[in-house]
Amino acid sequence: PSVEPGDHKSLAVAALPSDNQNRPQAQHLIYNRSTNTMPLPQNADKDTPIITHCGGGGRGQLAKDFLQQQGFINVLNGGGPKETECWNEFGNK
């Protein structure tokens, strides 16, 4: 998977799911700004809790909006690495 320049600060705080075992059910799905789409989560019910994340929060919001348009109902924009309250609450789940 590719990353955008702003993602490097996020990766310093939370590695990709494939890089560690802290979030074994996590999936790394990239929102594509060129097509305004992204892969849909595999084996996920429409009410599965989903947290989007990116370098600053903007692309995370676009991903959240896209997932909701696809029928996912439990989506939270986790923002970027500055959103410590969100990660303190949900980061280890």
Side-chain angles (χ1 to χ4, degrees), residues 7-8 15 17 21 25 34 51 61 65 67 72 82-83 87:
D7 292 336
H8 295 287
Q21 297 302 312
Q25 296 182 28
S34 298
I51 301 174
Q61 184 64 42
D65 294 343
L67 290 167
F72 290 91
K82 68 180 188 296
E83 308 298 337
W87 289 103

Side-chain angles (χ1 to χ4, degrees), residues 11-70:
L11 294 173
V13 175
L16 296 175
S18 59
D19 294 343
N20 66 48
Q21 297 302 312
N22 293 332
R23 297 171 193 92
Q25 296 182 28
Q27 298 179 33
H28 182 225
L29 306 171
I30 299 173
Y31 182 83
N32 185 326
R33 291 184 204 244
S34 298
T35 62
N36 295 320
T37 63
M38 62 183 286
L40 295 177
Q42 296 295 309
N43 304 317
D45 294 328
K46 297 293 184 173
D47 63 346
T48 298
I50 298 173
I51 301 174
T52 61
H53 185 268
C54 67
R59 192 165 24 116
Q61 184 64 42
L62 294 172
K64 175 188 174 188
D65 294 343
F66 176 80
L67 290 167
Q68 288 178 323
Q69 290 168 2
Q70 304 309 308

